Amino acid sequence: MGQTPESTPTCLLCDDAAVAQFDALGEVGTLRALRRADPVHWSDELGAWVFTRYDDIAGALRDLRWRRNPPEGLGNPGWPDDYPAIRSVMDHLFLTMDPPDHTRLRGLVNRAFTPVAVAAMQGRIRDIVDDLLGAVEGRPTFDVIADFAVPLPATVIAELLGIPTSDLPRFKRWSDDFAVVIDYQLDENWPALETSMAEFSTYVRELAKERRAAPREDLISALVARHEGDALTEDELVATVILLIAAGHETTTNLIGNGVLTFFRHSEQLARFRDDPAVAATAVDEILRFESPVQATFRVAGEAIDVDGRRILPGQEVMLSLAAGNRDPAAFPSPDAFDVGRTPNRHLAFGLGAHFCIGAPLARMEGRIALTSLFDRFPDLHAVDRSALPAWRTSLVFRALEQLPVAP
C-alpha cells in the first residue's frame, strides 16, 4: 500500500491483520488496546498507518489534505494493465476521486438520494418488504441474509436505476465480486474478478445503449442524458452505475443482517425497539455505530501531516478504522453498550465530509422499515442455532454475515 515511514514505531501487535477485523470474540479488545497504546499506528502488515481515535478519523475525513489518490509520482501507481476492466471501473469511480472530478460526478446522482426523493420511495419499500416477508411466512426456517437482507436493497436499487429485477441474481454475483475488488485481498483470483468486472461493464453499457434508444423515468436514463450532454464520459457512466448497484445494496444488506444479530444478542433492547416506535430511527443509527457495515476506509496524505507527534509523509496511506472510532469512549459514553435510544449519535458509519455516503437517507429508511416489519411479522423470531458462532465474511472493509438462519 503505502511507503515505509522514515521512523517506524515499534509494532504493538504481533498480528497487524487483526487491526482490520472487528470480530465479536476479541478484536473489539484489540482495537481498544491499539487506541489506548498507539492510536496513530504504523502497520507493516498493511503498509499503512492505522487511526483508531474518533477525532483523528473524523479530522482526516474532513481535511482535504487527506486524498483518495496520492500526489503525482507518490504512492500506489494504480491497477496493473493486466486487469483493464477492473482498472477502468476503479479509475472512474467518484468514490475514489478527489475534487473537482468527485464533485462533478457526485452531483450528477445526488438528487436521486435526497431526503425528499427517498421519502417518495417509502411506500414501494414497504411493498417490497411485505412481499419478501410474505414469501417466507409459514416456513419453519429461513435465512435472514439470503431471503431478506439481500433481495430488499437489491430490488430497491434495481428499480431506482431501471434494471430488470429478473437480472438480480447476475448483478448480485457481480456486486459480490466488486466488493472483493474494493477489499483488495492479495490472495484473490484476480483473473476471475477481471472477467466478472468485464461482464458487469458490458451489461451496463448495453443498458445505457437501450436507454439512448428509448429513455425511461429512471436513473440510468438520466445519466445517459448527462453523458450525451458531455457531463460524464462513457467510462464514468459505467463506473457510476456499477458503484450504485453494488454500494446500493451491499451496506444495507449488512445493516439489516448485523441489526438482527445484534438484537438477538441484546433481548432487552429488542423489547424496547418493539414496544416504542419512537426509537426506530435512533435504533438504526445505533446499529450503524455498534456493528458498522463498513469497518474501514483509506486515505492518502497529500502532503506531510503531523498527527499525535507522528509525521505522515506525502503518499503514505492511512487506514481509518471506523469500527474503532465508533467505540471511542471520548466520543460515545459507554461505547460498548448497545443502546437503541442513544442520542446524540455522531457515528462514522457513513463517513464524513465530501465523501459522506450519498445513499445514507435511503439506507436509514430501508433499515428502519426492514427491521420494524421483520420483528412485527415474527415477534418470536430467533436464531436456529443460538450457540453457533456468527458466519462473518472474511473482509478488510466490510462487516458482513454470510448467513443467519432463523426460525419464526
Side-chain angles (χ1 to χ4, degrees), residues 63 146 387:
D63 188 341
S387 63

Side-chain angles (χ1 to χ4, degrees), residues 82-83 85-86 173-174 176-178 180-181 187-200:
D82 293 349
Y83 306 116
I86 293 175
R173 174 172 58 83
W174 291 329
D176 287 346
D177 288 341
F178 176 77
V180 173
V181 173
D187 58 350
E188 294 296 338
N189 186 344
W190 289 99
L193 293 172
E194 167 68 14
T195 299
S196 180
M197 288 302 98
E199 293 173 353
F200 205 171

Side-chain angles (χ1 to χ4, degrees), residues 69-393:
N69 293 293
E72 187 173 352
L74 294 174
N76 193 328
W79 294 90
D81 293 333
D82 293 349
Y83 306 116
I86 293 175
R87 180 167 190 158
S88 179
V89 171
M90 297 301 292
D91 283 353
H92 293 96
L93 292 175
F94 66 81
L95 177 70
T96 60
M97 290 181 177
D98 295 303
D101 287 334
H102 170 265
T103 307
R104 171 176 58 87
L105 290 175
R106 183 183 172 104
L108 296 178
V109 297
N110 187 56
R111 284 178 291 179
F113 296 95
T114 63
V116 172
V118 169
M121 302 170 63
Q122 179 169 299
R124 180 58 187 145
I125 292 172
R126 290 192 182 280
D127 289 342
I128 297 169
V129 167
D130 288 343
D131 288 345
L132 291 171
L133 294 181
V136 298
E137 194 164 24
R139 288 167 47 178
T141 64
F142 63 94
D143 181 4
V144 164
I145 306 302
D147 295 321
F148 187 53
V150 167
L152 168 59
T155 302
V156 171
I157 197 65
E159 293 187 358
L160 181 64
L161 286 163
I163 295 171
T165 53
S166 58
D167 288 340
L168 285 177
R170 281 201 291 174
F171 82 66
K172 170 58 178 163
R173 174 172 58 83
W174 291 329
S175 296
D176 287 346
D177 288 341
F178 176 77
V180 173
V181 173
I182 292 289
D183 241 343
Y184 198 74
Q185 302 288 333
L186 293 176
D187 58 350
E188 294 296 338
N189 186 344
W190 289 99
L193 293 172
E194 167 68 14
T195 299
S196 180
M197 288 302 98
E199 293 173 353
F200 205 171
S201 299
T202 299
Y203 176 84
V204 174
R205 290 180 196 278
E206 288 299 315
L207 282 176
K209 182 179 178 181
E210 291 175 12
R211 294 303 188 274
R212 287 191 188 95
R216 303 180 187 177
E217 293 296 321
D218 58 40
L219 188 51
I220 290 181
S221 296
L223 290 172
V224 166
R226 295 295 185 126
H227 167 55
E228 293 175 345
D230 294 328
L232 76 168
T233 68
E234 175 84 359
D235 287 339
E236 288 172 344
L237 186 154
V238 170
T240 298
V241 173
I242 287 176
L243 176 62
L244 293 174
I245 291 172
H249 73 270
E250 171 72 31
T251 52
T252 307
T253 292
N254 300 347
L255 163 61
I256 296 167
N258 296 357
V260 173
L261 177 64
T262 302
F263 276 131
F264 286 166
R265 290 170 161 177
H266 299 84
S267 57
E268 75 291 346
Q269 293 298 309
L270 175 56
R272 185 179 173 193
F273 175 73
R274 283 175 168 150
D275 295 342
D276 185 0
V279 303
T282 55
V284 168
D285 276 302
E286 179 67 346
I287 293 164
L288 287 163
R289 182 195 72 84
F290 195 78
E291 287 283 12
S292 181
V294 177
Q295 294 284 284
T297 187
F298 286 82
R299 294 292 188 269
V300 183
E303 59 187 76
I305 303 173
D306 293 325
V307 182
D308 195 40
R310 301 275 166 76
R311 170 144 291 203
I312 299 173
L313 302 179
Q316 287 184 343
E317 283 190 270
V318 59
M319 188 185 90
L320 306 175
S321 177
L322 307 179
N326 281 337
R327 297 287 189 101
D328 187 345
F332 302 98
S334 303
D336 293 327
F338 178 63
D339 176 5
V340 295
R342 184 184 295 272
T343 183
N345 192 339
R346 302 175 299 123
H347 64 76
L348 300 166
F350 292 129
L352 293 170
H355 285 274
F356 183 82
C357 177
I358 199 170
L362 181 59
R364 281 189 170 106
M365 174 179 283
E366 289 182 88
R368 176 174 54 80
I369 294 173
L371 291 167
T372 54
S373 300
L374 178 67
F375 287 111
D376 282 347
R377 180 77 70 103
F378 304 116
D380 297 321
L381 192 75
H382 59 273
V384 169
D385 185 351
R386 303 186 193 206
S387 63
L389 296 177
W392 295 110
R393 189 171 82 203

